[in-house]
Amino acid sequence: MRVTPETPTVHIVGAGGQLGTALQERADRAAGQVLWRPLTSADIDIADEASVATALGGLGPADVVINCAAYTDVDGAESDRAGAERVNVAGPALLAARTAAAGAWLVHISTDYVFPGTPLDGEGAGSAEDRPDGYEPDDVRGEPATVYGATKLAGERAALAADGRTTVVRTAWVYTGGPESRDFVGTMRRLEATRDTVSVVDDQLGSPTYCRDLADGLWELVLAGPRDAVTGKVLHATNAGRATWFEVAAAVFAEIGADPARVHPTTTAEFPRPAPRPAYSVLSGRSWAAAGLTPLREWRAALHAAIADSASAGGSLP
């Protein structure tokens, strides 16, 4: 690649996290088109104006900032609202102010938790007949049920207010699939190796999303460039389809050659947490496709790929 002063640089903020790592692993999709630069928490404090100015001091109008950084401790946020607001609200606002001043483009990652967590028709986890494909971006009604969700929603609004060209991308139930990962799929793989049976809630319905598929989608978004179809918009990017956590766990067991009957369904009431978990957080992919972007594949196929990818990378459990 011939680097010129006009060559765009993609600044990956939160590069040490799950999605930031996946974006780097999938950066070959951007080879020859852009430069990319990882920024971890050691490189930038997104809620500190001086740190943002220093880390992004060379930001140019052709550049992109992907903000993957967030306060993601859903339970911890219930007793640390100030900490969650600092990272999830003040941080995006400062990044957006910086991209606005430079004429650059901010892609800000958000979450399904911005929704109240119940179907729009107010019935049970699997109903939502009025939105069979899940929540649309404009379906935010009422207040989020958690501090985490409230701060992420406020962060979306703060970013868009500071830079009207910001693109917000909401996603949900993100996992990598490796047996050592701290996400749901990794946890199920470890539990399969240590327990005879596992009880998993079957009354929370959502959109399981393979982190690498999400990263590929974000690279497609970035490489297509800022345009009216995406700037100033909120988009949803998840693997297609819907599942309960119980269904995901049973599928994980099946994928690794274990008996899925060892996974037993239970209810949310059996696992009380400081922050209530949404009964319904399916996200529709219509906005993503309407922006001319490739829909992410069906969640079951993505899970199969995730387990295979982790095995090829040497991530099989003994």
Side-chain angles (χ1 to χ4, degrees):
M1 175 180 182
R2 180 175 176 270
V3 177
T4 72
E6 292 75 34
T7 301
T9 298
V10 178
H11 305 262
I12 303 172
V13 177
Q18 183 185 49
L19 180 55
T21 298
L23 283 165
Q24 294 172 77
E25 292 173 345
R26 307 300 283 179
D28 58 332
R29 293 177 170 262
Q33 301 179 67
V34 298
L35 301 174
W36 59 275
R37 176 185 177 223
L39 292 168
T40 68
S41 57
D43 303 309
I44 183 172
D45 176 354
I46 65 170
D48 182 89
E49 187 172 4
S51 178
V52 170
T54 298
L56 297 175
L59 202 62
D63 292 346
V64 183
V65 176
I66 306 178
N67 181 34
C68 307
Y71 186 114
T72 58
D73 182 352
V74 176
D75 288 326
E78 292 297 304
S79 58
D80 184 22
R81 178 180 283 270
E85 288 179 340
R86 182 180 188 276
V87 179
N88 292 345
V89 185
L94 286 174
L95 291 174
R98 191 68 190 172
T99 56
W105 179 28
L106 175 63
V107 176
H108 174 62
I109 308 304
S110 193
T111 173
D112 57 303
Y113 273 75
V114 302
F115 293 98
T118 54
L120 294 176
D121 61 8
E123 298 180 13
S127 51
E129 286 85 357
D130 57 342
R131 289 292 189 276
D133 296 322
Y135 284 122
E136 301 293 348
D138 293 337
D139 284 336
V140 174
R141 302 177 188 177
E143 290 299 316
T146 64
V147 171
Y148 168 67
T151 59
K152 287 296 290 182
L153 181 58
E156 292 181 7
R157 292 169 174 169
L160 286 163
D163 185 350
R165 295 175 71 246
T166 295
T167 300
V168 174
V169 178
R170 295 182 188 137
T171 191
W173 290 24
V174 179
Y175 65 88
T176 60
E180 304 306 321
S181 62
R182 297 173 61 188
D183 54 55
F184 181 81
V185 172
T187 299
M188 289 302 106
R189 296 186 68 175
R190 291 190 296 277
L191 291 178
E192 187 281 326
T194 58
R195 297 187 185 179
D196 292 333
T197 63
V198 178
S199 294
V200 181
V201 296
D202 196 29
D203 56 359
Q204 296 174 24
L205 190 68
S207 303
T209 305
Y210 181 27
C211 200
R212 285 190 173 182
D213 284 6
L214 176 59
D216 288 347
L218 290 172
W219 276 120
E220 181 185 3
L221 168 68
V222 166
L223 294 176
R227 57 200 191 283
D228 289 344
V230 298
T231 54
K233 301 291 195 301
V234 178
L235 308 176
H236 288 173
T238 64
N239 284 117
R242 57 175 66 190
T244 67
W245 287 119
F246 164 74
E247 290 170 332
V248 176
V252 170
F253 272 51
E255 284 293 341
I256 61 177
D259 183 2
R262 291 168 54 200
V263 182
H264 298 169
T266 188
T267 65
T268 300
E270 295 297 316
F271 292 92
R273 305 289 291 273
R277 273 25 182 195
Y280 184 87
S281 58
V282 180
L283 300 185
S284 167
R286 283 197 186 95
S287 60
W288 190 258
L293 299 163
T294 305
L296 277 61
R297 61 185 152 180
E298 192 270 336
W299 77 267
R300 193 64 178 75
L303 177 65
H304 176 79
I307 301 297
D309 289 346
S310 71
S312 65
S316 299
L317 284 165

